[in-house]
Amino acid sequence: IDVIVAGHLCLDLSPAFSAGGSQSLRDILIPGKLVNVGPAALSTGGAVSNTGLSLRMLGIRTSLMGKIGADPLGGTVREILAQYEAADGLIVDAQSATSYSIVIAPTGIDRIFLHHPGATLNLTAADVPAEALTGARALHVGGAFLLPGLDGAPMADLLRRARAAGALTFVDTAVDGHGNRLEVVAPILPQVDFFLPSETEARGMTGADDPAAMAAFLLDRGVKAVCIK
């Protein structure tokens, strides 16, 4: 394995809306109203799927490590990833439900996500054991701020172990609804080779409005390279 991708993984359920339908959610989400929609698209979502499958499609040997429940949604996640021969790294938590999102995206209206974090909440550094890191060229952690069992000191320890094993470390962040407070990721920054926040996420961490200032702020705290998306 060249790359390990660990972190947020979920199942996305996206019902199809008519292209000629309403342009206002107020006309759709009415209590007691039946809304006819088209077939639902089922796909894996979250950073583990998005990054991990993209790397595999580029021909890079990649292990996807996300946590799912022992439930039908988890079975669907496994089936989808198995189509890409990418299900071997899945971690099953029989005590939790699989994370999922219902994507509401009528034509002409920005998407709304109804999200259940599920088993992702219980992902820990122990889910990426030392033997998994042996020989890996890179560890990519996706979804920082959405991983309460891993964020902070536990992630710093994981990244430190990855570096000791000879791997480069990558961390991607996510909007968390609380402003992306710096203290959540401060412990990990000295252990990150490539830090990949969006402009919104970087603004929350740094308080800066200019991407160059955001990057300088994060570099001063130990990150080797910053990519503001």
Side-chain angles (χ1 to χ4, degrees):
I1 293 298
D2 290 322
V3 180
I4 294 170
V5 181
H8 183 251
L9 174 67
C10 67
L11 181 69
D12 287 343
L13 297 86
S14 307
F17 287 84
S18 170
S22 172
Q23 298 301 303
S24 172
L25 282 177
R26 289 177 297 180
D27 298 329
I28 299 174
L29 301 180
I30 300 174
K33 179 181 179 180
L34 173 66
V35 179
N36 286 317
V37 295
L42 295 178
S43 61
T44 50
V48 168
S49 171
N50 297 344
T51 301
L53 292 184
S54 295
L55 289 171
R56 290 187 69 88
M57 291 174 188
L58 289 170
I60 298 171
R61 296 183 304 160
T62 305
S63 175
L64 280 64
M65 292 189 173
K67 187 164 276 190
I68 59 174
D71 54 18
L73 295 185
T76 301
V77 170
R78 183 178 295 279
E79 288 178 8
I80 293 172
L81 295 187
Q83 296 174 22
Y84 301 90
E85 299 181 347
D88 291 348
L90 289 174
I91 305 148
V92 178
D93 179 358
Q95 307 304 313
S96 300
T98 299
S99 176
Y100 71 91
S101 295
I102 298 175
V103 185
I104 301 175
T107 303
I109 300 174
D110 200 5
R111 296 176 299 173
I112 295 174
F113 295 89
L114 305 180
H115 181 67
H116 174 59
T120 293
L121 294 175
N122 300 326
L123 187 73
T124 69
D127 290 316
V128 186
E131 55 268 27
L133 295 170
T134 302
R137 297 169 59 191
L139 169 67
H140 179 100
V141 179
F145 288 105
L146 300 181
L147 307 168
L150 185 58
D151 280 330
M155 190 184 299
D157 179 65
L158 173 59
L159 298 174
R160 192 178 297 111
R161 289 194 288 115
R163 277 183 163 178
L168 291 169
T169 57
F170 296 71
V171 175
D172 191 8
T173 58
V175 173
D176 70 343
H178 300 288
N180 294 91
R181 298 184 301 274
L182 177 66
E183 56 265 30
V184 175
V185 295
I188 77 169
L189 298 180
Q191 305 300 327
V192 179
D193 291 310
F194 295 89
F195 196 50
L196 311 164
S198 71
E199 189 171 355
T200 298
E201 294 149 12
R203 183 178 296 110
M205 284 179 269
T206 67
D209 291 320
D210 176 62
M214 297 172 187
F217 181 99
L218 295 166
L219 291 169
D220 285 345
R221 282 155 180 78
V223 176
K224 295 297 184 292
V226 179
C227 173
I228 306 293
K229 295 179 291 183

